[in-house]
Amino acid sequence: MNIKKAHYALQICDVKSYQNLKRYASDDRTEISKKCIKSFLESIKHCCVTHPHINHTIAIIDDHSSLDLIKFVKKCIIKYTSPSIQLHIIPLTDVTGIKESIRFCYQWLRDNGKDYVYQVQDDYLFSNNAIGDMIDVYDQVFNETGSHCLVSSWNDSWLWLTLYRNRPTNRAVIVGKHGYWIQYYDMSCSFMTSHHQFNQHWDLYDMFLYMIDKVNPENNDLENKSLNYILTQRGVLGLVPVSNLSFHLQSNIEKDPHIDYKPLWDSIDIT
């Protein structure tokens, strides 16, 4: 069996996060981090069953998180470490903030990645099959076309309700193993792709990081003038599931209008 390697840079920061706005799932930012981290690790564990040919390495990039969250993460490392899953914490000691945290995640993926790479954040709540389904659709597109697509687990309904509303645009639709995927043009800094594809766009990552504290996020300028160029100017196919495989637990505008996050949220025990 040909063993492949997936590398994940999981960015964690609860109490110091600059995005500590009111979130729809909970007012407790540490609770959100814990549940999201555990949901991600459960999805990895599930992927090990459905995709036994993949080994997973997870670097947990800690940007001065609370002692409570670090204690929880250390328990998770003990629980989820296996022959197929390796986890370790890397604390940011000399720098802090979302810009430096993302930069470190990207650099770690660049320096350590092999086959699949994924920058993950601690406010995404993952379904059990999310990671496996993302790998499946990436492999499907690569095997059929030879191209390295970008994949996100979250389909931002706000875009469809506002920017895309009643606007015809050319989009590919992929029939995956377990659901439909649709082409997207507005990406976030969190995505999965191949290590090869990831390394092609450092100029745009640098632009994104340079602009991150210089633009008004409400104007949607940050990604539009940096990361989105991967999809809109460089011909890379970006895919999101038609039916979400994760939930972005930020403000109400990120809330899925049709899929209830609550059953998944309530099922995750963090005691």
Side-chain angles (χ1 to χ4, degrees), residues 49 65 84 138 161 173 175 189 215 237 253:
V49 176
S65 299
S84 299
Y138 171 85
L161 291 168
V173 175
V175 182
C189 62
V215 299
L237 175 65
I253 63 171

Side-chain angles (χ1 to χ4, degrees), residues 39-260:
S39 74
F40 169 65
L41 296 176
E42 283 290 329
S43 191
I44 296 284
K45 182 180 176 181
H46 182 73
C47 184
C48 290
V49 176
T50 58
H51 300 67
H53 63 290
I54 300 176
N55 287 339
H56 307 266
T57 300
I58 304 156
I60 302 168
I61 313 303
D62 166 41
D63 183 8
H64 302 83
S65 299
S66 66
L67 292 177
D68 185 21
L69 183 58
I70 294 301
K71 182 180 178 180
F72 175 81
V73 167
K74 288 179 177 178
K75 287 172 59 179
C76 286
I77 289 175
I78 295 170
K79 177 177 180 179
Y80 290 99
T81 295
S82 73
S84 299
I85 304 175
Q86 300 299 313
L87 305 99
H88 59 284
I89 300 177
I90 304 176
L92 296 182
T93 54
D94 299 328
V95 294
T96 188
I98 189 168
K99 177 196 295 190
E100 297 306 325
S101 182
I102 294 172
R103 186 192 310 278
F104 191 96
C105 287
Y106 282 3
Q107 290 172 342
W108 186 88
L109 292 171
R110 176 195 64 196
D111 297 340
N112 295 276
K114 176 75 186 304
D115 297 308
Y116 312 98
V117 296
Y118 188 5
Q119 195 268 353
V120 188
Q121 296 180 314
D122 68 344
D123 57 359
Y124 284 84
L125 190 73
F126 288 84
S127 63
N128 261 11
N129 56 313
I131 299 299
D133 284 6
M134 294 171 75
I135 289 173
D136 279 342
V137 76
Y138 171 85
D139 284 347
Q140 178 179 325
V141 170
F142 181 77
N143 291 335
E144 293 178 1
T145 68
S147 63
H148 302 257
C149 65
L150 269 60
V151 185
S152 172
S153 61
W154 178 62
N155 189 342
D156 186 355
S157 58
W158 177 83
L159 292 169
W160 299 97
L161 291 168
T162 55
L163 299 182
Y164 301 161
R165 193 179 188 94
N166 300 321
R167 291 182 59 190
T169 53
N170 293 323
R171 296 179 188 269
V173 175
I174 307 295
V175 182
K177 285 186 178 180
H178 305 291
Y180 293 96
W181 296 75
I182 190 166
Q183 185 174 8
Y184 78 136
Y185 300 103
D186 291 84
M187 63 185 289
S188 76
C189 62
S190 176
F191 59 91
M192 175 187 285
T193 189
S194 67
H195 186 242
H196 168 81
Q197 182 69 272
F198 182 81
N199 284 337
Q200 307 304 309
H201 308 290
W202 273 96
D203 58 326
L204 297 182
Y205 306 152
D206 287 339
M207 179 59 71
F208 170 79
L209 294 168
Y210 170 76
M211 294 173 60
I212 203 167
D213 53 6
K214 294 178 172 59
V215 299
N216 182 351
E218 295 181 1
N219 294 337
N220 211 39
D221 283 341
L222 178 56
E223 291 86 356
N224 269 346
K225 295 181 179 179
S226 56
L227 298 180
N228 287 351
Y229 290 162
I230 300 172
L231 309 179
T232 61
Q233 297 187 10
R234 298 188 175 177
V236 177
L237 175 65
L239 293 172
V240 291
V242 171
S243 185
N244 269 324
L245 295 172
S246 69
F247 301 93
H248 196 192
L249 303 185
Q250 288 204 357
S251 65
N252 278 323
I253 63 171
E254 278 87 19
K255 193 173 183 181
D256 191 303
H258 298 300
I259 304 175
D260 186 5

Side-chain angles (χ1 to χ4, degrees), residues 13-35:
C13 182
D14 53 350
V15 292
K16 261 183 79 73
S17 173
Y18 91 113
Q19 291 179 316
N20 277 335
L21 68 170
K22 185 174 178 60
R23 296 170 183 253
Y24 66 81
S26 173
D27 291 331
D28 185 339
R29 183 63 177 85
T30 302
E31 180 185 28
I32 288 174
S33 290
K34 288 179 178 180
K35 293 215 173 200

